[in-house]
Amino acid sequence: MKAITVEPKKPGTARYEDFPEPDLQEGSVLVEAVAVGVCGTDVEIVEGKYGWAPPGKDRLVLGHESLGRVIDPGPGSSLKKGDLVVGIVRRPDPVPCPNCAVGEWDMCRNGQYTERGIKEIHGFMSERWRIEPEYAIKVDSSLGILGVLLEPTTVVTKAWAHVISVGVRAFWEPHTVLVTGAGPIGLLAALIGAQRGLDVHVLDRATTGAKPDIVRALGATYHSCSVSALGFEPDVIIECTGAGQVINESIQTISSGGIVCLTGVGHGGGSSKAATADVAAAAVLKNIVIIGSVNANKRHWYRAGKILARADRKWLGRLITRREKPENFKQALERQPDDLKVVIQFSET
Ligand code: BGC
């Protein structure tokens, strides 16, 4: 079969090539790939900045935002041939740490977790892939290609769940949420805010293109100014840019008792660093909580499925702005100005 593979930590090594059929050890469920979403993590892996091949191997099959059709459910699975499924990304560490032992692999304590298409296990950008039945999430067949949005939805579902756990530490009636960054993660975070009945604001640099309209279609308000120029103090900020300046301004602007949830992964930063003691002073004097959130466990996958099922299909469809063939994966990985979610399509739904 064909697969999109890369030699992690070596830029320029990605290729679409012949690759052995998936190993039975990867799971008893055999799946035909339908589509795989591309995200910033894939770009980082291809640029040689992130990613790990399976132990003893040089190359890693890329891709963690999957959607596939069951070819053979194998023994011991309630799945049926033809079901649409998405694969959970992370696997618990083998020790296991206390969090992995109770199924909270997203909170792994020792960093020895593995992730499909990212860390030590092959991903989903291959014509066929295998998965363990307990890590295959069946999606409503009426979602079709939109099922490929499940994995990014799980990431923000977890972020929201943690914001809420922190919020209820005191009397808490959140009204306004600011989402920084109107990429797929930001827009899905905004969708959850809208489903929760909050006054949702989304901030992004773009002044033209699809983003402002997609935000307004949610009933939310779009801003293209800086966070400090917003003129109000949000109760919750879901930060999805990873940009130093946006993070600093978010911490300065959040309301008293507010929560800033960081989901974006950036690097370095410009000259706008706020002094650590000033950030800490604001956090102390205003009871602010800053939380980081990565990945998702099974309860978030379950909830994310409900969130997608409740969402307007047409709105979700606007998030998928480009579909590329596997042989054109290089174009899929190159950002174009109007891109939201780009998917590599292996077969029809
Ligand atoms: C994936 C997560 C993963 C994280 C860190 C993200 O792009 O969506 O599942 O945990 O990267 O590797």
Side-chain angles (χ1 to χ4, degrees):
M1 67 169 184
K2 293 271 194 201
I4 299 166
T5 70
V6 64
E7 193 169 337
K9 306 283 165 50
K10 287 204 183 156
T13 55
R15 49 179 195 246
Y16 181 53
E17 62 175 350
D18 288 323
F19 203 78
E21 288 290 327
D23 196 320
L24 191 56
Q25 285 198 336
E26 285 171 9
S28 51
V29 184
L30 180 63
V31 180
E32 171 194 21
V34 171
V36 186
V38 172
C39 88
T41 304
D42 301 307
V43 176
E44 290 225 315
I45 296 172
V46 168
E47 287 176 349
K49 297 178 185 152
Y50 194 62
W52 297 261
K57 302 264 194 272
D58 293 330
R59 301 190 72 82
L60 169 77
V61 176
L62 202 59
H64 60 277
E65 297 185 4
S66 62
L67 176 68
R69 189 182 303 97
V70 174
I71 302 175
D72 177 3
S77 149
S78 56
L79 291 166
K80 293 187 196 63
K81 189 173 176 211
D83 282 347
L84 283 183
V85 288
V86 176
I88 291 182
V89 176
R90 195 175 277 198
R91 297 291 175 277
D93 79 76
V95 176
C97 77
N99 287 66
C100 284
V102 300
E104 292 193 356
W105 49 71
D106 58 315
M107 300 296 292
C108 179
R109 302 264 287 275
N110 61 22
Q112 292 180 47
Y113 63 83
T114 51
E115 289 181 339
R116 292 205 63 161
I118 301 174
K119 189 169 184 272
E120 296 170 23
I121 346 179
H122 288 314
F124 303 107
M125 286 187 189
S126 52
E127 288 177 299
R128 283 169 290 285
W129 40 269
R130 282 189 170 273
I131 191 150
E132 314 86 323
E134 64 276 25
Y135 289 97
I137 303 290
K138 183 175 162 180
V139 293
D140 190 325
S141 62
S142 71
L143 273 174
I145 187 89
L146 300 175
V148 79
L149 297 172
L150 183 61
E151 196 277 342
T153 307
T154 67
V155 168
V156 282
T157 301
K158 173 194 169 173
W160 267 109
H162 281 228
V163 165
I164 290 153
S165 321
V166 172
V168 297
R169 79 202 191 280
F171 179 72
W172 192 55
E173 276 186 329
H175 293 293
T176 49
V177 55
L178 171 70
V179 176
T180 54
I185 286 286
L187 292 169
L188 291 166
L191 167 71
I192 298 177
Q195 287 191 355
R196 299 189 71 87
L198 294 168
D199 177 20
V200 180
H201 296 257
V202 179
L203 180 146
D204 191 278
R205 284 186 297 204
T207 52
T208 55
K211 290 176 177 177
D213 260 5
I214 293 181
V215 167
R216 285 181 205 121
L218 264 187
T221 312
Y222 188 83
H223 305 265
S224 52
C225 58
S226 64
V227 177
S228 5
L230 277 175
F232 67 92
E233 296 182 348
D235 299 313
V236 173
I237 299 182
I238 311 275
E239 205 300 300
C240 306
T241 70
Q245 170 124 8
V246 180
I247 297 167
N248 284 340
E249 290 186 23
S250 295
I251 294 166
Q252 315 284 344
T253 309
I254 191 80
S255 70
S256 282
I259 303 157
V260 179
C261 180
L262 307 175
T263 68
V265 182
H267 298 279
S271 53
S272 61
K273 285 175 275 164
T276 307
D278 293 341
V279 172
V284 172
L285 295 172
K286 289 167 72 185
N287 287 300
I288 290 166
V289 180
I290 302 160
I291 49 172
S293 179
V294 70
N295 198 256
N297 67 43
K298 221 167 189 175
R299 83 171 80 170
H300 309 123
W301 280 81
Y302 173 80
R303 281 202 187 147
K306 302 268 176 210
I307 288 161
L308 284 191
R310 275 178 66 193
D312 179 68
R313 302 283 157 97
K314 271 206 188 120
W315 186 86
L316 289 175
R318 293 172 74 182
L319 301 191
I320 301 179
T321 47
R322 196 149 59 92
R323 302 184 191 194
E324 294 283 3
K325 292 188 174 141
E327 52 270 37
N328 297 335
F329 76 92
K330 285 199 173 136
Q331 280 98 302
L333 288 157
E334 268 164 32
R335 272 201 81 66
Q336 290 177 10
D338 288 334
D339 280 344
L340 287 171
K341 178 56 68 189
V342 176
V343 302
I344 300 181
Q345 190 152 4
F346 284 81
S347 63
E348 292 302 315
T349 44

